[in-house]
Amino acid sequence: MRIPAVVSTVLVVGALLTPAAAAGRPLWFTSWAQSQQHLAPVTLHDQSLRMITHLSQGGSAVRIRVQNTFGTQPLTIDRTTVAVSVGGAAVEGTRDLTFGGQRAVTIPAGGELWSDRTTVTTKPGTDLAVSMHVAGDVVPGRHESAFRDNYLTPSGSGDHTTDVGAAYTEKTQSTYLVSAVDVFNPLLKGTIVPFGSSVVDGVGSTNCGPGCTELGTNKRWADVLARRIVASSRPQLAVANAGISGTTSAVCPNTPAPFVGLDALSRLERDVLALHGVTDVIYYYGTNDLANGCSAATILTSYRTVFERLRKAGIAVHVTPITPRPGYSDQNNVDRHAVNDFVKRGGDCSDACASVQDFEQVLEDPIRPNAVNPRYDTGDGVHANIVGQQAIADYIAIEDLA
């Protein structure tokens, strides 16, 4: 019987000490992320799951982060593999992944860990499948909206982590357990972390028009930005998405219960600072703050606190003005413009922000400035469709990053 390793603290294991590492130059960069937000409403039992992660940059090895942040019981994973996805649940080139040299691992409630390195060659845009078998009962943490299909075997079906794909007969559009993937690539210069709520998360990125959906095509503005960087002659950067729909920058009085404790400051450490090689954050918050009763003063206090922590960590902040929303009251719009004046016209932000990325200018309707341009609107007045996602990504000045 294999005895699982018990992890009581956050670990990064398996890194090799090289001359470059000794000189302080990063070798590992987070190439994909989806921030966990709560426990999934399911219990897994003696089954396998296959999560597809879309890498913004590649490398010669990978390692993954597994979280039990919201768990109330220890979480045991009995086996983990990685492989290149070749479409749907199908994979090729399966490799075992270990934790502290062991195949099985137990993570305590509230804990997380990074795996050992595993040699697997990946490229920008590689879909890396992370497969896990849980023998016992597990309530997994999840990121609710993957905007793609992920896969599970039936309950009680056992270990299929090396299966080429046929055993994965069930689907979920959430991401379970795995929340980040690092690549080993000394040629990369940094990782950009888009940090914010639903427009960062990707709501609207599957909307290709009335009655049209593109699931799994990776058309979030952050995905498009990653492809722009790869195609450019600029220094190469990874992009790791840290968006969670419904969240706020500040602690707001009318925040719905599922989003309490997920404000920017509460999740800054685990969702941004715990990632690797981070050089830049694109900060896109505020729309839900206003909707949930926060004033401009409260939002700006949160901005200053978060920006200060990022700057102390050596991370450049690229901040976006709050974009239009049709449901705002007159006072909401007064507060929105007060925050945007802070962002656009100096004040404290001139000392805290490396650049302003004016998504408001991109998305606003030129005729109705408190509304989203109909060409970019999903129909809810808040989120950008695929055309709008492309417009946001095209607007970003790559030369401002890193």
Side-chain angles (χ1 to χ4, degrees), residues 284-300:
Y284 188 173
Y285 262 121
T287 57
N288 293 324
D289 295 65
L290 295 173
N292 292 331
C294 266
S295 66
T298 303
I299 296 168
L300 292 178

Side-chain angles (χ1 to χ4, degrees), residues 107 123-124 145 209 219 268:
I107 311 170
K123 301 182 296 184
S145 299
K219 291 186 176 177
L268 180 65

Side-chain angles (χ1 to χ4, degrees), residues 13 23 66 92-93 101 105 114 128 133 138 146 191 194 197 210 244 253 255 282 290 301 311 316 346 353:
V13 292
V66 182
E92 61 182 19
V105 68
W114 290 84
L128 185 77
H133 171 235
V138 166
T191 292
S197 53
I244 297 180
T255 298
I282 299 177
L290 295 173
T301 296
R311 290 183 67 212
C353 304

Side-chain angles (χ1 to χ4, degrees), residues 18 34 79 141 173 195 200 221 325 328 336 367 384:
T18 68
Q34 282 192 339
R79 188 179 186 184
Q173 290 179 13
F195 186 40
V200 175
W221 63 263
R325 187 166 177 157
Y328 286 153
R336 181 168 79 89
I367 299 173

